[in-house]
Amino acid sequence: MAKYKQECIFGIRAVLEALQQGKEIDKVMLKKGIRGELFQQLFNLVRENNIPFQYVPEEVFKPFADRNHQGVLAEVSPVPYQELSEVLDSSVAEGKTLFVLILDRVTDVRNFGAIVRSAECAGVTAVVIPNKNSAKISSDALKTSAGALYHMPVCRVQNLKKVVRELKFQRGVKVYAASEKAGKFYTEVDMKQPLAIIMGSEDKGIDEELLNIVTECVKIPQKGQIESLNVSAAAAVMMFEVVRQREGL
C-alpha cells in the first residue's frame, strides 16, 4: 500500500464512472491479459482522454486483494490539472505579462514540488508538464511544494513541442531553454516581455527537438567542478531573474 499514497479508485465500473463524471485521473494501471466488453469501453475512454496507462503484472494488485479491483486501478490527482489555453487567456485578460514554466522529463516528485513552490513565489502564470515521463501531482509533491500546488496552475499536455510552437508563433511568447551548452548567459536576454522558460531533467536535459524550436538557449554561469545544478535550484535562478528584470532591480 505504501507505493500508492494518492487516492485510488478500484474496479472497471468505478473507474469508468469516474471518467464519465470528469474525475481527474492521473494514471490507470491495468492487469496484463485483462479482456471483456466493459474493459474495452473503459480502455477506449482512457485513450480518448489521453490518460497515461500501464499494463502491470498481477503481483501489483496483491496488496489490494480485499478490494474488488477487477485488474484495474486508477490513481486520482489530489489537485486538478488545468487547461493551458484557459489559464493563459485569463492571465492576458487580467493584463498580466505571460510567464510560463515548462518542465521536460523532470520526473522526481520532490524536485517538481520544489520547482512549483518557487514558481508560485515568482508569479509564474502556469507550470506545464507532459502527459508522460514527468512527475505528477502526488502527496510527496504537495508536501515539498509547501502547499503551492493548491495555488499554481499545473497544465498537463500531450505534446510539448506543439505547446512551444503555439506559444512562440501564435501568442508571440519568447521561449528560452536552459542549457549548459548555450552561448549566452540567462542575464543577457530580455525577460520583461511575455516568455516561457524550459527546464530539462538533470540526466537527459531538454529534448533536442524542443531545443530546435525555442527562441534561444541560455545558461547559468558555474564555477564548481560538478556538471550542473539541481534542476529545482536552476529553475529558481532562472525564474527570479524574470522577477528581477520585471521589477527593475
Side-chain angles (χ1 to χ4, degrees), residues 39-51:
F39 166 73
Q40 193 59 51
Q41 185 181 345
L42 169 64
F43 185 73
N44 291 341
L45 201 55
V46 167
R47 293 292 296 269
E48 287 171 15
N49 287 276
N50 295 318
I51 295 170

Side-chain angles (χ1 to χ4, degrees), residues 66-136:
D66 60 333
R67 309 288 187 97
N68 185 26
H69 58 72
Q70 301 172 295
V72 174
L73 180 157
E75 296 178 352
V76 183
S77 174
V79 177
Y81 295 98
Q82 298 190 35
E83 285 293 328
L84 181 59
S85 59
E86 293 178 6
V87 174
L88 298 181
D89 289 344
S90 177
S91 185
V92 170
E94 293 172 9
K96 297 178 181 178
T97 304
L98 293 180
F99 179 9
V100 179
L101 180 66
I102 300 171
L103 304 181
D104 180 33
R105 299 183 290 191
V106 175
T107 56
D108 184 272
V109 292
R110 291 177 178 83
N111 276 334
F112 174 58
I115 289 169
V116 173
R117 181 176 183 174
S118 295
E120 202 281 329
C121 291
V124 167
T125 307
V127 175
V128 180
I129 61 173
N131 255 349
K132 298 181 179 179
N133 298 318
S134 173
K136 305 295 190 296

Side-chain angles (χ1 to χ4, degrees), residues 203-220:
D203 55 341
K204 296 180 180 179
I206 298 170
D207 185 275
E208 284 292 334
E209 292 185 29
L210 274 179
L211 292 176
N212 289 334
I213 57 178
V214 301
T215 304
E216 198 162 7
C217 291
V218 295
K219 63 182 178 180
I220 299 170

Side-chain angles (χ1 to χ4, degrees), residues 8 97 106 124 134 173 176 181 196-197 243:
C8 294
T97 304
V106 175
V124 167
S134 173
V173 171
Y176 297 119
K181 299 176 184 179
I197 293 172
V243 175

